Amino acid sequence: MRVVAAIMGVVMLVSLLGGCNRKPPDEVIVYTALDRQFSEPILERFAKQTGIQVRTVYDSESTKTIGLVNRIRAEAQRPRCDVFWNNEPVNTIRLKDERLIQRCEPAEAANYPAADRDPEGCWFGFAARARVLLVNTDMVKPDDCPTSVRDLADPRWQGRTGMAKPLFGSTATHVACLFAVLGESEARALLDGFRLNGVQIVGGNKTCAEMVGRGQLAFGLTDTDDAIEEVDAGHPVKVVFPDAGDRQMGTLLLPNTLALVKGCPHPEAGTQLINYLLSAAVEQELAAGPSAQIPLQGAATQSSRVAKLADLRPMPVDFAHAAQIFPTAAKYVEEKFLAP
Amino acid sequence: MAERVPKAGDLLRWAAVGFHTAALLAALVVPAYAVLDAGGAFFGAGHSASLTGVLNVRRWLTLLENTGVVCGVAGLTAVVAGICLGLLAARTDMPGRRALVGAALLGACVPVYVSAVFFLSLAPTLLGFGSAALCGFLYGLVYAPLATLVLGATFRAAGRELEELALLDAGRAKVLLRVTLPQAAWGIVAVVMIVTLFVATDFTIADLLIVRTFSEECYTQYQLDHGRIGPLLTSVPVMLVLAVLLVVVERRYRLLGEDSPWEAGAKPSTLALRRWRIPAGVAAGALVAAGAGTLLVPLVLRLRPLAGLGTAVANLRHELWTTTALAALGATFVVLPAGGLAWAMARGTRLRWLVAAAIILLLAIPAPTVGISLTALLNRPGLLGAAYDSPVVVAIGYFVRFLPIGVLLLIPAVRRTPCELEWAARVDGCDWLGVHRHVRWPALRRDAVLAWLVVVILCFGEVGATMLVVPPGWETTAIRAFTLMHFGVYRDLAVLALLSIGCILLPWGGLVWLLARRRTCES
């Protein structure tokens, strides 16, 4: 018995010693909604270059973005996060509207178009993803290939299409943007069409892309970073940038956004990290990497494998308006997609 | 016996009473805060507008239905598997019974998130989103090994005399159906309760399959910008239902009292399988091997290509250390007061009803509610904030979640200790300290180690509370796996799941050794 107790004690002690690190003199705390596999190498490189230790909270796919945003809200009285690296702009703007993020001045921000950053210097956009339709080419003939998100409501595809839970992540943002661009009644009608047409609601955009790749869905609404992985894996899929025609609403482009949390414990290190992430090198890395993000600044010479910014017809959406209308859109989704 | 040290003994006595009361109150603060905060919101006019969605009766009925289906199917699956395997392991002469019990013990030690990864890797295309029955079935498979162990113990405790009398008038099969199984009813109820409690308070598989149970809804509502009032209110019905269930089951079956049926009497008769002995052994072995192989092989195949595997393992080192350390710390937090509380509960002291109420409340509280309450309680300036910022907050979450389990695991040890031993020690001149040193501690220490190992295993797989409080840079393996599994099973997740099983082997080995030693001592 004493041997067991001794082993227990040693295991605990060694574990504690091995697991605990002393608090480093300089650190920065990041909450990031960008998938860990894409963000972690970049943050590690920053830590290596600057000697500033980066402590990160990564997001969960099932409550993407919103979970982290609400965590920042819950900690508002005593913030623990320095930098919020969001993978979309709408919820960052909502945090700004709630005065939960603060102004900062990273030098690299000047290299980005004015439309991709906050005029008051509270958030900065970079490296975008697009909301696309991933089509299984074995299941969909070239002539029948969908070209618009409205095709999700087309009875031809009843029960054979999918999208992520529209309560979280870029899908929730997409819904808010549809509300902002189409107006509330048209957006509601469109989404009601999705629901009535049996669009399958799945766990996340990655799952949606995988289901298309495996042939479980004919096509699905997802993000370019998830879609491109299915292309790279050699599955019979094709990426369609929806609504790119002249009279259509355009493809939704969602830049990553960076913001310094108000009252954060390490504002200087936080600003330094934001500046690093806004550099052309990071944009190029994100473009060349597996997530194939689309660079927004002119200095980034690398084009994304999925598309060049110049070739796209972006949806003309006012993200600030989408942020204002987000609660209405979320309430609609909760009532319609979560209703008993 | 020890020398009488009146002053130091009295001081220590009061210190111990204070420590146990403080521990109990500290754990109770979390459900109490959840209930009071939710109650305040319910009666407060300020929140009424935003809570109309939360207070929707249809929504609560849907959640109740889904949670009922998930728990019901899980309980049924676990009980059916547990009866078959438990009977084979405990009441037959089948060869390889000990191996079967060892395998069941290992299966029971595997965290839910690892089981979820197994299922995902085995049949990603078969998983149906939104299916409560499938969710319940998967949970049932997860808890089938635990049910085998509990029902095996139940069958061992069945009265031998009654069966032998019945055998005079009826055949084996009839006696099994009419006598043995009814005698094991309390064990079946215990399994259903254990599975219900674990399933209803967890959301690992429910979230993966998008099944709206109370626990999953509580987590989702919190993430959905409903502050903490909405999710806390969401969790109140399930807390009440589980608490009432616990009280009813305890009153009906007296699982914890002095007349608890858990103690085995005379060794029950063994059912001779005769010509089916070897085939039954082979079939049980094949079933276990096929089950393990079916689950493990797809996962092992995902380790390819082997180049870079070392890096993948090294990348998970920090999470593994963190989880081991925090699980050990959490289990220590639990076991330190659990012995005293178990004594208070089983020996009917004044604290008994407080302990009983605390156990029922803590067992009934959904895991996300623990996380939400902890965030609200600890994220403040000062010492509480320092605890919230450190990994200790995760261990506190483990403490709140698993203190009742620790107490329940130690109650049998208390009941095995005859009251006469304490009286004899007092007659011999032992004071409070002496009684503890010479009677209570020796009676509890072996079970305390056992409870510590069990709680370490439970902490290792905790997701619901940890997910909401884990500080930056202190991710546990359970959280890493939970975030990864929504992307499908790739090499990182396969490595993580297999390493988690490797980590579980150490406490599992400890449990096997302790149980084997106890068996030797008893025989």
Side-chain angles (χ1 to χ4, degrees):
Chain A
M1 192 49 56
R2 281 180 188 162
V3 174
V4 175
I7 291 172
M8 226 166 80
V10 168
V11 167
M12 221 179 98
L13 195 68
V14 170
S15 302
L16 282 170
L17 290 174
C20 300
N21 297 318
R22 276 192 204 162
K23 194 177 174 184
D26 211 354
E27 65 175 14
V28 61
I29 296 168
V30 186
Y31 289 4
T32 176
L34 185 67
D35 293 348
R36 182 177 186 143
Q37 75 227 60
F38 309 138
S39 56
E40 191 172 32
I42 293 168
L43 294 170
E44 278 176 358
R45 200 160 307 118
F46 170 77
K48 211 175 223 177
Q49 282 179 17
T50 59
I52 297 172
Q53 191 187 335
V54 181
R55 287 169 58 198
T56 315
V57 172
Y58 296 98
D59 213 352
S60 160
E61 182 74 356
S62 65
T63 57
K64 198 74 171 174
T65 309
I66 312 288
L68 286 183
V69 168
N70 282 322
R71 192 163 171 163
I72 291 172
R73 286 195 183 110
E75 294 169 354
Q77 299 299 317
R78 214 177 131 270
R80 165 152 99 164
C81 168
D82 295 304
V83 174
F84 179 39
W85 177 352
N86 194 359
N87 62 355
E88 54 86 43
V90 171
N91 281 290
T92 311
I93 297 172
R94 291 179 72 209
L95 286 179
K96 183 203 161 193
D97 293 344
E98 293 167 35
R99 301 182 189 285
L100 294 176
I101 56 179
Q102 67 182 46
R103 187 183 148 75
C104 67
E105 292 177 348
E108 294 281 354
N111 299 326
Y112 286 85
D116 294 322
R117 53 193 154 100
D118 179 42
E120 294 167 37
C122 287
W123 59 265
F124 308 93
F126 72 114
R129 296 171 306 154
R131 295 283 298 163
V132 293
L133 294 172
L134 186 67
V135 182
N136 185 301
T137 49
D138 286 349
M139 297 174 75
V140 179
K141 291 176 193 164
D143 294 344
D144 294 336
C145 195
T147 56
S148 165
V149 290
R150 292 177 196 276
D151 287 323
L152 287 164
D154 187 333
R156 275 188 306 164
W157 307 111
Q158 188 163 31
R160 295 163 63 201
T161 60
M163 63 193 275
K165 247 192 305 193
L167 289 166
F168 300 103
S170 52
T171 313
T173 304
H174 198 158
V175 171
C177 291
L178 288 175
F179 269 64
V181 169
L182 300 175
E184 195 175 327
S185 58
E186 194 181 338
R188 276 173 181 261
L190 179 62
L191 290 162
D192 284 341
F194 290 1
R195 202 165 47 83
L196 295 171
N197 203 36
V199 173
Q200 291 186 38
I201 304 299
V202 301
N205 288 305
K206 174 78 182 168
T207 311
C208 183
E210 279 187 336
M211 288 175 79
V212 174
R214 282 198 294 259
Q216 288 173 274
L217 296 172
F219 66 91
L221 184 62
T222 186
D223 298 325
T224 39
D225 55 345
D226 298 313
I228 197 72
E229 287 195 25
E230 292 303 304
V231 175
D232 289 346
H235 293 139
V237 291
K238 176 185 168 189
V239 178
V240 173
F241 290 87
D243 302 295
D246 286 342
R247 293 189 177 181
Q248 290 180 302
M249 63 182 147
T251 303
L252 180 60
L253 273 185
L254 296 174
N256 283 271
T257 49
L258 296 163
L260 195 66
V261 174
K262 191 175 180 183
C264 63
H266 313 99
E268 282 150 24
T271 308
Q272 201 176 336
L273 175 61
I274 289 176
N275 198 47
Y276 173 81
L277 293 174
L278 289 175
S279 65
V282 169
E283 264 215 323
Q284 282 184 28
E285 188 179 340
L286 285 169
S291 64
Q293 309 232 7
I294 302 161
L296 298 179
Q297 66 164 306
T301 52
Q302 180 87 40
S303 292
S304 168
R305 283 173 293 135
V306 285
K308 287 180 185 169
L309 184 60
D311 297 341
L312 295 175
R313 186 167 175 275
M315 183 189 284
V317 59
D318 177 1
F319 288 126
H321 179 45
Q324 282 172 355
I325 212 164
F326 189 93
T328 312
K331 194 173 175 211
Y332 158 78
V333 167
E334 207 182 334
E335 282 169 7
K336 295 291 180 181
F337 286 81
L338 268 191
Chain B
M1 289 291 165
E3 282 182 29
R4 189 174 172 79
V5 193
K7 283 186 180 173
D10 287 347
L11 276 177
L12 273 172
R13 179 183 183 173
W14 286 113
V17 170
F19 167 71
H20 285 95
T21 312
L24 196 62
L25 291 177
L28 266 179
V29 160
V30 173
Y33 182 83
V35 171
L36 291 177
D37 208 16
F42 186 80
F43 293 110
H47 293 291
S48 57
S50 60
L51 290 176
T52 44
V54 176
L55 296 173
N56 181 340
V57 176
R58 275 184 66 209
R59 177 175 155 273
W60 269 347
L61 288 176
T62 302
L63 296 178
L64 205 59
E65 182 190 333
N66 282 346
T67 309
V69 170
V70 172
C71 291
V73 174
L76 187 70
T77 309
V79 163
V80 169
I83 286 177
C84 298
L85 295 173
L87 265 177
L88 280 176
R91 297 295 301 274
T92 66
D93 58 351
M94 183 190 79
R97 294 188 308 279
R98 283 192 180 180
L100 181 62
V101 171
L105 189 58
L106 181 58
C109 292
V110 173
V112 178
Y113 74 84
V114 175
S115 303
V117 175
F118 282 154
F119 299 141
L120 265 179
S121 65
L122 180 64
T125 54
L126 291 181
L127 291 186
F129 288 103
S131 168
L134 177 65
C135 181
F137 179 67
L138 294 182
Y139 269 120
L141 292 181
V142 170
Y143 291 111
L146 183 65
T148 303
L149 295 175
V150 175
L151 286 170
T154 310
F155 291 130
R156 265 196 300 275
R160 179 180 185 147
E161 294 81 9
L162 209 59
E163 281 184 14
E164 283 178 352
L165 276 174
L167 276 172
L168 296 174
D169 294 329
R172 279 275 176 199
K174 206 168 184 180
V175 171
L176 181 72
L177 282 175
R178 296 277 175 86
V179 180
T180 311
L181 281 180
Q183 280 196 90
W186 57 272
I188 294 171
V189 170
V191 167
V192 171
M193 272 317 297
I194 293 169
V195 172
T196 300
L197 286 170
F198 279 131
V199 171
T201 54
D202 178 75
F203 62 77
T204 314
I205 296 179
D207 188 64
L208 198 64
L209 297 186
I210 323 183
V211 175
R212 293 176 66 199
T213 62
F214 273 104
S215 192
E216 200 270 344
E217 183 79 356
C218 182
Y219 172 66
T220 305
Q221 290 291 331
Y222 184 60
Q223 306 286 23
L224 263 179
D225 196 10
H226 288 295
R228 62 176 190 273
I229 308 299
L232 291 183
L233 270 178
T234 301
S235 63
V236 168
V238 74
M239 282 169 70
L240 289 175
V241 169
L242 290 178
V244 169
L245 263 179
L246 279 165
V247 171
V248 169
V249 166
E250 165 55 16
R251 280 185 166 257
R252 173 73 180 80
Y253 290 96
R254 299 278 171 201
L255 296 176
L256 302 175
E258 285 294 327
D259 50 350
S260 159
W262 286 97
E263 292 306 306
K267 196 180 172 193
S269 57
T270 302
L271 178 70
L273 295 173
R274 299 191 186 99
R275 62 197 165 101
W276 294 105
R277 191 173 165 265
I278 301 296
V282 172
L287 184 73
V288 171
T294 313
L295 294 172
L296 278 171
V297 168
L299 213 55
V300 172
L301 290 177
R302 283 175 205 259
L303 297 179
R304 294 175 303 178
L306 295 178
L309 195 60
T311 314
V313 173
N315 286 342
L316 294 167
R317 204 175 45 197
H318 178 68
E319 279 86 354
L320 287 168
W321 276 120
T322 301
T323 312
T324 311
L326 290 176
L329 190 65
T332 309
F333 282 176
V334 166
V335 169
L336 282 177
L341 295 174
W343 211 279
M345 175 88 186
R347 286 286 187 252
T349 65
R350 274 168 294 179
L351 273 176
R352 179 184 178 144
W353 291 110
L354 184 63
V355 179
I359 286 176
I360 288 172
L361 261 178
L362 293 173
L363 282 174
I365 189 169
T369 310
V370 174
I372 295 165
S373 301
L374 278 179
T375 304
L377 285 166
L378 298 182
N379 189 20
R380 300 159 190 269
L383 202 61
L384 291 177
Y388 181 71
D389 287 341
S390 74
V392 172
V393 68
V394 177
I396 295 173
Y398 293 157
F399 168 71
V400 176
R401 286 219 63 207
F402 301 124
L403 179 67
I405 309 279
V407 175
L408 292 177
L409 285 169
L410 289 177
I411 284 177
V414 177
R415 285 187 31 256
R416 274 200 304 270
T417 313
C419 294
E420 291 81 0
L421 267 181
E422 282 192 59
W423 300 339
R426 286 187 200 286
V427 170
D428 283 350
C430 279
D431 61 355
W432 180 87
L433 186 61
V435 170
H436 273 76
R437 198 173 143 201
H438 296 291
V439 180
R440 292 189 178 184
W441 170 240
L444 283 184
R445 63 183 179 186
R446 193 168 294 160
D447 285 69
V449 177
L450 198 129
W452 188 84
L453 290 169
V454 171
V455 176
V456 163
I457 290 163
L458 289 172
C459 294
F460 207 88
E462 212 287 330
V463 170
T466 313
M467 189 76 197
L468 299 178
V469 297
V470 66
W474 293 97
E475 215 171 30
T476 62
T477 48
I479 300 307
R480 180 88 186 256
F482 184 74
T483 50
L484 282 175
M485 71 173 72
H486 287 86
F487 296 103
V489 180
Y490 292 91
R491 195 170 72 162
D492 281 359
L493 187 54
V495 171
L496 184 58
L498 292 171
L499 283 176
S500 298
I501 294 178
C503 290
I504 286 301
L505 285 177
L506 192 66
W508 171 75
L511 283 176
V512 168
W513 184 74
L514 275 171
L515 292 173
R517 196 181 148 97
R518 175 190 282 183
R519 200 185 170 93
T520 312
C521 290
E522 279 170 1
S523 64

